[in-house]
Amino acid sequence: MVMVMVIAFAKAWPTRDARADILVNGAPASELSLTQFIGDAAGLESPTAAEFLPDGRLIITEVGGHIKVRLTNGTIVDAGVVPVDLASERGLLGLAIDPLFATTHRLYFYYSQQGAPGTDRHRVAYAVFDPNTNQVDVAGRVDILSGLYGPRNHNGGGLAFGPDGYLYVGVGDTGCNCSCAPGEGDNYFATCLTNKNGKILRIDREGGIPSTNPLTSESAVVACGTAITCGSNGQHQVPSDGVLGTPAKEIYNWGFRNPWRFSFDPLTGNLWIGDVGEVTYEEITISHGPGEHHGWPYREGQAGLPSSTCNSVTHRGACVDPVHTYAHNGSQASVTGGVFSTHCTWPSTWKDVYWYGDYVANRVWTLTPNASRNGVLGDRQDIVSNARGPVHFFNGPDGGIYYVNITSGTIWRITPATPETCGDSDAGSSTDGGSADAAGPADAAGPADAASPADAAGPTDAGETADAAGSADAAGPADAAGPADAASGDAGVDGGPAENIHLSVAALSVPSTGDRPHIAIEVEAENGAVAITSMTVTVVATDGSSTAWFESLVLREDIDGNTLVDAADPIRASVEGVLSDGTPRTLSLASETLVEGTPKRYLLTGRLSTIPVAQRSAPASLAHDRWLAGAGSWFDAMNGPPLLASLGLAFVLGAFGLWLCTRAPRILLSAVGLGAIAIAVGSCGSDAQPGRQYTVRMTAIEATAVSTGARVDVDGLPVSSGPITLD
């Protein structure tokens, strides 16, 4: 049976299916609207990804290498062709929009290089888009990442810009797997740190390696063999401390089978990853920061070898288990990682939830994150059936959830049936910007296309399990934040709202340094003058659990056009001794006025500390305070409240002294016990932990129209700093 399926899919891409996607009965059918944004008649051939540009145009990639542009009037034009290898699950697999697109016009692609050897099969490149001609300079593309193995499948293809401005890349483990139960796998590429396969990689916009990547200071790491042919000693060489090699410093996280779809949670900055399963489980897992081992091939789901196995091999901590799994079987076998609905038009029931799907199941589901957004509540909710091969989810400028169907060659949009009105409290809360478009009619259904040659884009792995074709993820903090699509007479093209005065925020790439986080933004008024009155920020640990404090928080305006980190720039707002426990803190401005066509750049920065504000009142006690905070963290690691742990320690020490010792030692040991209590009391003032990563996030900007005094919408928030690791 399995061999028959493999042979069938090896001959052709999925045959077009003209049936319509359907909202399931119940709340989805009554509370949501599902419309066809690009229909069968448009003639898309196996689309793999799509992303909006800031002005509302949509870039679409097809597995065969074709790049299409949907104009705001609904017309679709050819923009270029990337020459790609189409064997197995290869092709044009990923897409991301440059966060600085307004000035660079760059599009980033993940593709399988035509004619390349297996040791250098997949590449990441950027190419420049001409907004006047709607053409992509494919011939002038610049490869910024190479050396990604591709002997069989599990090609990856995920691309997303993070809140730190860096490009994250998902690469599969090469597919030379045994279809074994969890813990019995024999392809170790995902856990070896000398190659880039089975990993999430992180690079800058030019392909450089960020200094905060976890292996930048390493000279020798656990290695696999160098041969890549399936069945060779390359991927099958068991990693051990006795076999070391030079690290691949692009690595951010490892231990993945095929992490070909992922996106960032706009509210925490954490990376939510869909990892395709082998024979037992499909996974949604969360990356909280660099240097994590996500289990493969030792674990799948919560099954397999002990979690400690990951630490024994790569010495970076236990395996990170997924937050959600579901059974891998004949009816659901290729998870498609999704995106979040954070726009202010979403009612509370659907706001801030996670939307994802499965290529084989032809389903779209949602998950509800827990309060800390480091896990999920309950099970998935069924949303769409008959989705016909969902391989990519992305956010729209109207706040809608869009997804690409590779089998039907269509793109669909999910919006609230009754959108919320974005009031004053919602200004700046959207990650997408804009208002909800009026729901348009579905495109007319076209005839089914004849099957085209090449492998199925990810439905079934050669000789093993079902994967989906790699494509792109939502492009991080710089998701398209443009106006709604212009009205069109074409079927399936929805009319947008009238233009209005609003504020546009673009994140600038200024890496955080040491204990000083940096949030750099360019703010521009559109369609009129705007007065900014305040900015709201939070600081949270990457796992959402700990508190940190600003020694100072300063907002500077860049007035000379030089580097944003410039002490000569004037301070527009500042706060001293800011406590931040995840609760938003507001900086009031003396009405900064922006006029259309004259953007301003700001830098938010300050010294971040794990020491409580009150304890920093006496500088001489700083080292003592750090010791106390560190002691409190040690007790936390013992899985008990510091005070109770200390009382227990005091009791044990005191009893031992009375039984064994003379008076002097008893006094000494009692003093030690009382000291332990003092340590706990001193450290109970903070749950901030040295060594933990923190992120500062700008979540809102309050602004009004100068002409009317009315509050205006703010596009492009939230914006986050890069992660800070405190001593």
Side-chain angles (χ1 to χ4, degrees):
M1 176 70 74
V2 172
M3 291 304 296
V4 171
M5 291 177 66
V6 171
I7 292 170
F9 279 119
K11 291 183 178 179
W13 292 103
T15 302
R16 181 167 301 208
D17 181 349
R19 295 172 296 169
D21 297 33
I22 303 168
L23 288 170
V24 301
N25 291 331
S30 62
E31 299 176 12
L32 300 174
S33 172
L34 176 65
T35 56
Q36 202 174 59
F37 188 70
I38 295 180
D40 307 329
L44 296 181
E45 293 289 343
S46 299
T48 52
E51 293 289 347
F52 281 101
L53 296 179
D55 64 1
R57 282 180 283 191
L58 183 69
I59 304 296
I60 307 162
T61 59
E62 295 179 343
V63 75
H66 290 267
I67 305 169
K68 303 292 181 72
V69 181
R70 179 195 183 272
L71 308 181
T72 54
N73 65 4
T75 302
I76 295 177
V77 300
D78 294 318
V81 183
V82 179
V84 296
D85 180 346
L86 284 172
S88 187
E89 300 163 3
R90 302 166 195 159
L92 182 54
L93 306 178
L95 170 67
I97 310 299
D98 191 343
L100 305 181
F101 179 85
T103 56
T104 68
H105 296 157
R106 287 183 185 179
L107 308 177
Y108 287 77
F109 301 100
Y110 186 115
Y111 71 103
S112 307
Q113 173 66 41
Q114 191 176 71
T119 54
D120 192 21
R121 182 84 67 192
H122 307 297
R123 315 280 180 86
V124 174
Y126 70 76
V128 175
F129 174 76
D130 186 336
N132 297 315
T133 64
N134 291 305
Q135 294 298 297
V136 178
D137 182 12
V138 173
R141 70 187 181 278
V142 177
D143 287 338
I144 63 171
L145 180 66
S146 57
L148 309 180
Y149 300 163
R152 179 179 284 176
N153 54 5
H154 299 182
N155 300 306
L159 292 178
F161 279 96
D164 53 10
Y166 294 129
L167 180 63
Y168 291 71
V169 183
V171 188
D173 72 351
T174 72
C176 298
N177 298 23
C178 63
S179 297
C180 299
E184 299 177 7
D186 60 353
N187 181 347
Y188 296 100
F189 273 163
T191 201
C192 295
L193 303 180
T194 53
N195 68 72
K196 304 166 191 172
N197 285 77
K199 314 294 194 306
I200 298 292
L201 310 177
R202 181 173 69 168
I203 56 177
D204 65 25
R205 296 172 51 259
E206 308 296 333
I209 298 173
S211 61
T212 51
N213 276 11
L215 304 181
T216 53
S217 60
E218 302 288 340
S219 59
V221 292
V222 64
C224 287
T226 56
I228 69 163
T229 304
C230 293
S232 70
N233 72 342
Q235 64 272 54
H236 301 313
Q237 180 172 302
V238 179
S240 71
D241 289 339
V243 182
L244 301 178
T246 302
K249 297 187 177 181
E250 297 90 344
I251 294 174
Y252 181 77
N253 282 169
W254 53 91
F256 299 98
R257 183 177 176 275
N258 196 16
W260 58 283
R261 291 297 180 274
F262 51 78
S263 68
F264 288 89
D265 181 351
L267 302 182
T268 66
N270 289 338
L271 184 60
W272 288 51
I273 305 160
D275 195 13
V276 178
E278 176 84 352
V279 295
T280 51
Y281 296 107
E282 301 296 304
E283 298 183 358
I284 299 294
T285 185
I286 300 177
S287 167
H288 302 97
E292 294 179 347
H293 193 314
H294 285 258
W296 183 255
Y298 306 116
R299 291 176 66 78
E300 186 171 279
Q302 283 84 30
L305 299 180
S307 294
S308 59
T309 306
C310 292
N311 188 56
S312 67
V313 177
T314 58
H315 309 296
R316 294 280 179 157
C319 304
V320 176
D321 278 344
V323 297
H324 171 68
T325 63
Y326 60 91
H328 173 107
N329 53 44
S331 62
Q332 49 182 24
S334 185
V335 65
T336 301
V339 295
F340 294 87
S341 51
T342 58
H343 196 270
C344 53
T345 53
W346 286 95
S348 59
T349 304
W350 303 101
K351 195 171 189 300
D352 301 334
V353 304
Y354 181 71
W355 305 71
Y356 73 110
D358 188 292
Y359 168 85
V360 174
N362 293 319
R363 292 274 177 170
V364 174
W365 300 295
T366 59
L367 290 171
T368 301
N370 62 19
S372 298
R373 301 185 71 82
N374 57 5
V376 300
L377 300 174
D379 202 357
R380 64 191 184 190
Q381 181 169 0
D382 206 3
I383 303 297
V384 176
S385 62
N386 194 38
R388 300 171 298 162
V391 294
H392 177 59
F393 288 80
F394 61 106
N395 296 105
D398 58 351
I401 301 297
Y402 291 72
Y403 63 91
V404 176
N405 280 340
I406 191 172
T407 306
S408 61
T410 57
I411 297 178
W412 291 75
R413 177 179 64 181
I414 305 172
T415 55
T418 306
E420 294 288 308
T421 300
C422 295
D424 293 347
S425 61
D426 296 313
S429 63
S430 166
T431 58
D432 303 312
S435 307
D437 293 346
D443 293 349
D449 289 355
S452 55
D455 270 4
T460 304
D461 296 348
E464 22 173 331
T465 57
D467 266 1
S471 67
D473 297 273
D479 282 354
D485 295 339
S488 164
D490 292 352
V493 179
D494 304 328
E499 293 184 341
N500 60 348
I501 299 174
H502 64 283
L503 196 66
S504 177
V505 178
L508 304 176
S509 182
V510 178
S512 300
T513 57
D515 58 1
R516 295 184 179 276
H518 294 147
I519 295 180
I521 57 173
E522 183 173 270
V523 184
E524 184 172 7
E526 298 187 10
N527 306 318
V530 172
I532 300 176
T533 57
S534 69
M535 297 184 182
T536 302
V537 297
T538 60
V539 53
V540 295
T542 53
D543 64 1
S545 66
S546 292
T547 301
W549 290 265
F550 281 112
E551 188 170 286
S552 62
L553 183 60
V554 175
L555 181 73
R556 293 183 180 275
E557 180 191 348
D558 179 36
I559 61 171
D560 52 18
N562 294 329
T563 173
L564 273 162
V565 186
D566 187 350
D569 288 333
I571 295 175
R572 296 304 187 199
S574 64
V575 181
E576 295 295 325
V578 180
L579 166 66
S580 187
D581 53 3
T583 303
R585 309 294 172 179
T586 300
L587 291 87
S588 297
L589 281 72
S591 191
E592 287 280 292
T593 301
L594 288 84
V595 296
E596 186 175 5
T598 307
K600 290 185 178 183
R601 301 197 308 171
Y602 297 93
L603 177 73
L604 182 72
T605 187
R607 181 173 178 270
L608 202 61
S609 175
T610 58
I611 307 304
V613 177
Q615 292 185 15
R616 277 191 262 118
S617 59
S621 67
L622 184 59
H624 173 68
D625 291 336
R626 288 189 181 278
W627 181 78
L628 290 180
S633 298
W634 181 84
F635 282 115
D636 283 340
M638 298 298 290
N639 298 315
L643 182 57
L644 292 178
S646 300
L647 286 171
L649 178 61
F651 177 81
V652 171
L653 289 174
F656 183 71
L658 288 172
W659 175 71
L660 184 65
C661 301
T662 63
R663 178 175 303 235
R666 282 204 305 273
I667 294 172
L668 175 62
L669 290 173
S670 298
V672 171
L674 292 173
I677 296 175
I679 289 172
V681 173
S683 61
C684 278
S686 167
D687 65 345
Q689 295 184 14
R692 176 163 282 164
Q693 286 194 330
Y694 296 84
T695 299
V696 180
R697 185 167 301 108
M698 182 178 292
T699 55
I701 294 178
E702 291 293 323
T704 59
V706 171
S707 58
T708 64
R711 295 186 184 275
V712 300
D713 286 338
V714 181
D715 304 336
L717 292 177
V719 175
S720 299
S721 71
I724 292 289
T725 301
L726 297 179
D727 296 331

